[in-house]
Each structure stands twice: as structure tokens, then as C-alpha cells.
């Protein structure tokens, strides 16, 4: 499966009004452990992982991979955004062979409800539209996640289908490429 965006990763940091989307750094390790061990976050992503297990397994600089942006507020990580190719084995696709660009995001609970997810996702989508012109982006979320459903609509995703996955009804939508906003 081909990677998304430019061959060299990461791109230059992306700055929004309040946030910076950047590559992961060693100082983000604690926030990654918090994110993946959080029971509040875990409800939306199939469960939290044990903190001690994460602490042992987490690399010194986690999240160093193509397609992952750290969301930073005042220099500190508050979440992450991923742009990956959707696995062909999963339900929900625009084309039979799969591999669509898929947006994912997770924020620490203390960052919820302040518009950071919308701001960061919009910036990542603008970047992607410039890096991969004309390529649509898909997003999947549990229909029970009202906040994620509202954010998908706000970002311009439209429903393609619904299906069962991970023991819950999932919403699957697409956002067709638009010209970057600035």
C-alpha cells in the first residue's frame, strides 16, 4: 500500500490559530501513554490499554511514522492525527480494492470540547488536499459517538454507508478533495 503525501516525512510543521501539527518528539512519550491508556478515549477506540504495558512497550520517540501528526498546544502534545490507507480487509470502501486515504484523530480528554479536533483536522485535510490533489478522504466512527458525528459533518464528510464493526454500528463517510483554504 502506498503512503500518503510526500515521500519525505514529516512535512514542515502546520500552524493554525492555536495549534501546531508536527512530527512526534521524545517529549511526547508521556502524552502518548496517557492517550492510549485513557479509559475515556478507550471507549471510542476499542478500549484503553494498561498503562504499565504501554510504558514498557512505547518507544522513546513514539509515533514516528509516515502519516502521523502530533497536535500540540503551547508546545505540549494534546492529541494526534493520522492519515493512512484504509485496510482493504475492513468494511467500508469507495472502491473494491480499498486503500483510500483515511483520517483518524485522538485527543486527550482535557482537550475535548474546545474545538481543537476541528481546527487540527481541518488543517491536516488542507495539507492533504495540497499534497494529494483530487484524492478523497474517508472517515469512520461509531454512530453512538455524537461528537465525532458532528465533527465529520462540520469537516464536510458525507455518509457513504453504515455497517457493524468492533461490535457497534459504524458510520463511514467521504470528503472529496477541495482547494486548501489558505
Amino acid at each position: 500500500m502506498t503512503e500518503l503525501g510526500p515521500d519525505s516525512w514529516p512535512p514542515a510543521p502546520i500552524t493554525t490559530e492555536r495549534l501546531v501539527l508536527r512530527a512526534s518528539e521524545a517529549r511526547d512519550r508521556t502524552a502518548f501513554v496517557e492517550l492510549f491508556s485513557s479509559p475515556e478515549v478507550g471507549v471510542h477506540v476499542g478500549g484503553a490499554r494498561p498503562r504499565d504495558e504501554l510504558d514498557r512497550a512505547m518507544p522513546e520517540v513514539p509515533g514516528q511514522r509516515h502519516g502521523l501528526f502530533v497536535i500540540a498546544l503551547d508546545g505540549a502534545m494534546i492529541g494526534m492525527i493520522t492519515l493512512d490507507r484504509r485496510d482493504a480487509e475492513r468494511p467500508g470502501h469507495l472502491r473494491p480494492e480499498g486503500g483510500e486515504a483515511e483520517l483518524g484523530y485522538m485527543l486527550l480528554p482535557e482537550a475535548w470540547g474546545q474545538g481543537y479536533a476541528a481546527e487540527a483536522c481541518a488543517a491536516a485535510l488542507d495539507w492533504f488536499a495540497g499534497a494529494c490533489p483530487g484524492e478523497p478522504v474517508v472517515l469512520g466512527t461509531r454512530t453512538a459517538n455524537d461528537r465525532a458525528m458532528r465533527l465529520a459533518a462540520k469537516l464536510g464528510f458525507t455518509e457513504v454507508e453504515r455497517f457493524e464493526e468492533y461490535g457497534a454500528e459504524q458510520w463511514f463517510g467521504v470528503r472529496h478533495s477541495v482547494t486548501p483554504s489558505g
Side-chain angles (χ1 to χ4, degrees), residues 43-159:
V43 165
H44 304 291
V45 294
R49 294 192 38 207
R51 178 180 295 280
D52 60 336
E53 174 187 304
L54 285 165
D55 214 24
R56 282 191 307 274
M58 188 78 58
E60 185 178 326
V61 183
Q64 282 195 311
R65 67 172 184 79
H66 206 97
L68 187 143
F69 291 100
V70 162
I71 305 167
L73 174 67
D74 298 326
M77 178 180 164
I78 61 166
M80 61 182 243
I81 290 182
T82 57
L83 286 161
D84 293 311
R85 294 282 177 198
R86 187 166 177 89
D87 186 350
E89 306 306 311
R90 293 183 62 204
H93 291 286
L94 300 178
R95 48 189 186 244
E97 70 276 12
E100 300 88 352
E102 181 173 26
L103 175 71
Y105 61 92
M106 294 169 53
L107 276 79
L108 291 165
E110 56 268 24
W112 294 1
Q114 299 177 59
Y116 297 137
E119 188 175 329
C121 287
L125 289 166
D126 278 355
W127 170 83
F128 182 78
C132 300
E135 188 170 347
V137 178
V138 298
L139 179 141
T141 188
R142 293 175 53 185
T143 55
N145 187 341
D146 293 334
R147 284 182 163 171
M149 295 288 291
R150 285 192 305 271
L151 179 57
K154 182 176 186 172
L155 292 170
F157 285 87
T158 56
E159 184 173 336

